[in-house]
Amino acid sequence: MRLSKAWLVASRDFKIFRHQKNIWYSVIVFPILISVLFPAVLEFAGQRSRGLLTVANLPNLLNSFSFFIVIGAAFIPLGIASYSIVGEKVEKSLEPLLATPLTDGEILLGKAISALLPALVAMYAGATVFMVGVDAVTFGELGYTYFPNWTFAVLLLIVVPVAALMSVLYSVIVSSRVNDVRSANGSGILIFFPFLAIYFASEINLISLDITGLLIIAGILFAIDIALYFVGTAAFQREEILTKWK
Amino acid sequence: MATSNQEIIELIDTDSLTKKFGDLTAVDNLTLHVDDGEVFGFLGPNGAGKTTTIRMLCCLISKTSGNATIGGYEIGKKADSLKIRKIIGLVPDNVGLTEHMTAYDNLDFYGKIFDCTDAERKANIKRFLDMLGLWEKRNVLAGAFSKGMKQKLAVARALIHDPQILFLDEPTANLDPESAKTVRDFILELKKEKKTIFLNTHNLYEAQRICDRIGILNTQLRATGTPADLEQKVRGRKTVITLAQINNKILSAVKKLSLKNLTSEGNQVSFDVTDPDKENGAVVEAIVLAGGHVNTVNVVGSTLEDVYLQIVRESA
């Protein structure tokens, strides 16, 4: 596996994405929503009803809000990976690429990088603004800056990458079965359900989004990543692509 | 890699190569060889296995049985697959350009994949885009190109790393006559440079004009040879002599020559010939000596189209 070749494939995808407004929107909208909306909601709620946001309940609420960064990390690569693989299918540009000395693994890794990197950069940028915004809004109530903290570090540095990777691998599998980007996105939307389930479970205190809880979630997601990797690499093979992909 | 006394190198060599998809046999016991610098045309109807053959030879799909070597490397051997893909260029039946990239960037990307240096990439991109009349359009997105321009760009892409063997899968299919001619002329230019080319085509005129040898495939390889060989192999050639008038003296003089399939109808006599340049002179001389007056001498033969149709119908 030559990383330089995988990077070449990713670089080409980045060039293509420059012309794709839909991809830009999908990369930008979610981080902006998270970074602006949640501090605004806190500010608004705090002003409307004093006593709603207290030192006791704010940490749990902020941890729950933080989890939307994980959901965003799963959402953004979905659109990019779907476009990048289904787009190649539509343009029939995979066959000449497969006839080069690139290995299947290098092409797949390149596709993964091109979907993961923008998603991680966007979500980390959004998370930074989110931290600053939330701290600014909650400092008065808490008396200290809630972010950054170790829980958030685990969420950003461990849970977010494994969630994004899961989305990419799932997209590869979905993309091998469909012929247009819309169908890929439609099928890909299923990836949200486990994340929404985690969020709602945390809201009703079934699970806790503290460091232990996040590490368990990351472990489960990582195990799913490994399973999806094997299914994805089996689907992403020259002969499969040329003879069995729809 | 096989060599003969004349140092002819077989770049493509297959032995009983077979591909099955489940119960369907797409290519059956294909045995052929293509020499270095040769242009080999593969003719056959839709579903004959032409694209499957190219895909096997380019290590895109696996073989079911048999053997094949490309430049001495064995297909189906994992270690050799990458080496084979380094020495070949492929223009698939769907050109598959990256439509949101410029013509220049499309070629540059493939040059990088093949580890061409900056200087090589720049020189080759300029050379091929110039030859194909696309240099002025180098900064235009490939998606904005016409079908013919895309096809030309795909040919340039396959050549960017100066491959030893070029595989072309119906490169002029669905092109307007002018674009098809440009692509065809370009292939002829490559032929002059002694590039080894394996050409899948439906176009008999194209095959006849471009190819040194032709193979007719319909799941199995039905015939191979030069276009002239094939024409002769199936039906041979016939000389038709038109006279001012025919009489018994002339006919008996001609019959004495023991010509194959001699027939006479009206003022014409016709017979099969192997080498018209050598054989017709004696016949004309006999007719003139018998007092005949020869108006015209024509050599007619089966065309490649006749040959192709006969072989394909027989194998159907």
Side-chain angles (χ1 to χ4, degrees):
Chain A
M1 176 86 74
R2 298 158 299 178
L3 285 177
S4 62
K5 297 295 179 191
W7 180 249
L8 203 54
V9 174
S11 305
R12 181 184 70 147
D13 279 357
F14 294 144
K15 271 191 179 172
I16 296 167
F17 297 160
R18 286 201 309 226
H19 300 277
Q20 296 297 314
K21 281 183 187 167
N22 288 345
I23 288 181
W24 277 101
Y25 294 149
S26 74
V27 170
I28 290 168
V29 168
F30 213 100
I32 289 176
L33 274 178
I34 288 174
S35 58
V36 174
L37 193 67
F38 286 129
V41 165
L42 290 171
E43 174 66 19
F44 182 73
Q47 282 179 3
R48 292 274 295 191
S49 46
R50 295 275 168 203
L52 183 72
L53 305 176
T54 63
V55 176
N57 63 20
L58 259 176
N60 275 342
L61 185 65
L62 295 181
N63 285 351
S64 294
F65 280 1
S66 306
F67 198 74
F68 275 88
I69 291 166
V70 177
I71 295 175
F75 169 77
I76 296 173
L78 192 70
I80 302 174
S82 299
Y83 179 81
S84 132
I85 295 170
V86 179
E88 297 248 29
K89 279 170 83 173
V90 172
E91 291 181 352
K92 313 261 185 208
S93 52
L94 273 175
E95 186 170 356
L97 192 61
L98 294 170
T100 66
L102 292 176
T103 64
D104 298 341
E106 286 161 357
I107 296 173
L108 188 57
L109 181 61
K111 294 283 171 199
I113 291 171
S114 71
L116 274 176
L117 208 57
L120 293 180
V121 168
M123 288 316 299
Y124 286 155
T128 306
V129 178
F130 168 82
M131 280 193 291
V132 173
V134 168
D135 279 343
V137 172
T138 58
F139 184 78
E141 189 64 38
L142 293 172
Y144 64 94
T145 53
Y146 187 74
F147 294 118
N149 57 44
W150 285 112
T151 309
F152 200 61
V154 168
L155 183 131
L156 280 187
L157 301 178
I158 300 175
V159 185
V160 162
V162 292
L165 184 61
M166 183 172 149
S167 176
V168 170
L169 294 169
Y170 179 69
S171 294
V172 170
I173 297 163
V174 167
S175 299
S176 70
R177 304 283 168 226
V178 298
N179 270 331
D180 63 277
V181 176
R182 194 172 291 181
S183 303
N185 285 334
S187 305
I189 215 83
L190 292 173
I191 196 102
F192 282 113
F193 289 116
F195 293 106
L196 287 175
I198 293 170
Y199 173 76
F200 287 117
S202 76
E203 284 295 297
I204 56 173
N205 293 324
L206 272 179
I207 56 171
S208 172
L209 295 177
D210 56 12
I211 289 178
T212 312
L214 288 174
L215 285 174
I216 291 169
I217 290 166
I220 294 167
L221 292 179
F222 188 66
I224 297 171
D225 282 352
I226 291 170
L228 290 176
Y229 171 79
F230 285 109
V231 179
T233 48
F236 203 88
Q237 285 184 358
R238 281 175 163 74
E239 186 144 5
E240 287 278 323
I241 292 168
L242 291 172
T243 60
K244 293 188 182 165
W245 278 26
K246 282 182 180 174
Chain B
M1 201 178 298
T3 57
S4 73
N5 291 335
Q6 291 83 34
E7 289 296 321
I8 291 173
I9 301 166
E10 287 177 3
L11 279 189
I12 302 173
D13 193 13
T14 76
D15 179 18
S16 304
L17 188 64
T18 299
K19 177 67 186 181
K20 292 182 179 181
F21 294 105
D23 294 333
L24 176 78
T25 303
V27 178
D28 191 13
N29 275 305
L30 176 67
T31 299
L32 62 82
H33 66 89
V34 178
D35 294 331
D36 190 10
E38 188 177 25
V39 179
F40 186 85
F42 224 30
L43 285 172
N46 288 332
K50 301 189 301 293
T51 297
T52 301
T53 301
I54 278 195
R55 284 178 169 179
M56 277 193 286
L57 297 179
C58 293
C59 301
L60 288 170
I61 60 174
S62 61
K63 63 183 182 179
T64 304
S65 62
N67 294 304
T69 57
I70 304 291
Y73 301 115
E74 202 175 313
I75 72 162
K77 244 187 179 177
K78 204 173 180 187
D80 282 2
S81 292
L82 285 184
K83 291 173 186 163
I84 289 172
R85 290 203 291 266
K86 273 185 186 170
I87 61 166
I88 61 160
L90 168 68
V91 180
D93 51 353
N94 288 301
V95 291
L97 295 166
T98 304
E99 305 227 331
H100 290 97
M101 268 166 53
T102 64
Y104 192 98
D105 284 346
N106 263 281
L107 300 186
D108 195 49
F109 170 68
Y110 275 83
K112 284 177 182 167
I113 288 179
F114 283 99
D115 294 323
C116 300
T117 63
D118 283 358
E120 283 169 344
R121 287 201 313 275
K122 279 180 187 165
N124 283 347
I125 291 171
K126 172 91 170 78
R127 179 180 164 225
F128 292 124
L129 290 184
D130 261 342
M131 281 174 85
L132 289 161
L134 293 175
W135 178 246
E136 297 303 318
K137 306 267 185 189
R138 64 189 179 279
N139 292 322
V140 175
L141 293 182
F145 276 17
S146 69
K147 221 171 196 176
M149 289 158 76
K150 283 180 183 175
Q151 195 75 36
K152 289 191 262 184
L153 187 57
V155 176
R157 179 188 61 193
L159 288 164
I160 197 69
H161 57 297
D162 195 19
Q164 272 184 274
I165 309 167
L166 182 62
F167 288 94
L168 302 168
D169 197 355
E170 300 187 13
T172 58
N174 305 317
L175 294 187
D176 63 79
E178 195 183 346
S179 299
K181 185 179 180 307
T182 311
V183 172
R184 214 174 283 134
D185 289 346
F186 184 66
I187 299 170
L188 284 168
E189 283 295 313
L190 297 173
K191 183 181 177 178
K192 279 184 202 161
E193 293 176 15
K194 292 288 172 196
K195 181 75 71 189
T196 307
I197 298 173
F198 190 98
L199 170 72
N200 272 1
T201 182
H202 283 304
N203 190 320
L204 300 171
Y205 164 74
E206 181 172 284
Q208 195 155 25
R209 182 144 179 255
I210 296 175
C211 301
D212 298 312
R213 283 193 308 128
I214 287 169
I216 298 178
L217 183 79
N218 200 2
T219 308
Q220 291 179 330
L221 188 62
R222 306 291 173 176
T224 50
T226 64
D229 281 347
L230 285 176
E231 285 169 2
Q232 195 158 335
K233 198 180 280 179
V234 175
R235 286 187 191 165
R237 280 189 271 186
K238 194 179 276 292
T239 295
V240 179
I241 300 178
T242 307
L243 300 152
Q245 197 175 4
I246 287 186
N247 56 36
N248 286 338
K249 192 181 171 190
I250 294 170
L251 274 179
S252 58
V254 174
K255 278 176 185 168
K256 280 180 192 166
L257 297 172
S258 305
L259 299 168
K260 275 186 202 165
N261 293 325
L262 176 68
T263 56
S264 118
E265 194 178 328
N267 288 338
Q268 285 185 331
V269 287
S270 60
F271 51 90
D272 290 353
V273 283
T274 309
D275 188 346
D277 291 342
K278 286 183 182 167
E279 295 168 42
N280 288 349
V283 182
V284 171
E285 191 180 359
I287 291 171
V288 172
L289 285 174
H293 179 80
V294 175
N295 285 348
T296 58
V297 179
N298 289 311
V299 178
V300 293
S302 47
T303 61
L304 188 59
E305 186 176 16
D306 297 327
V307 176
Y308 172 80
L309 290 174
Q310 183 178 330
I311 291 173
V312 168
R313 279 173 192 156
E314 280 171 4
S315 61

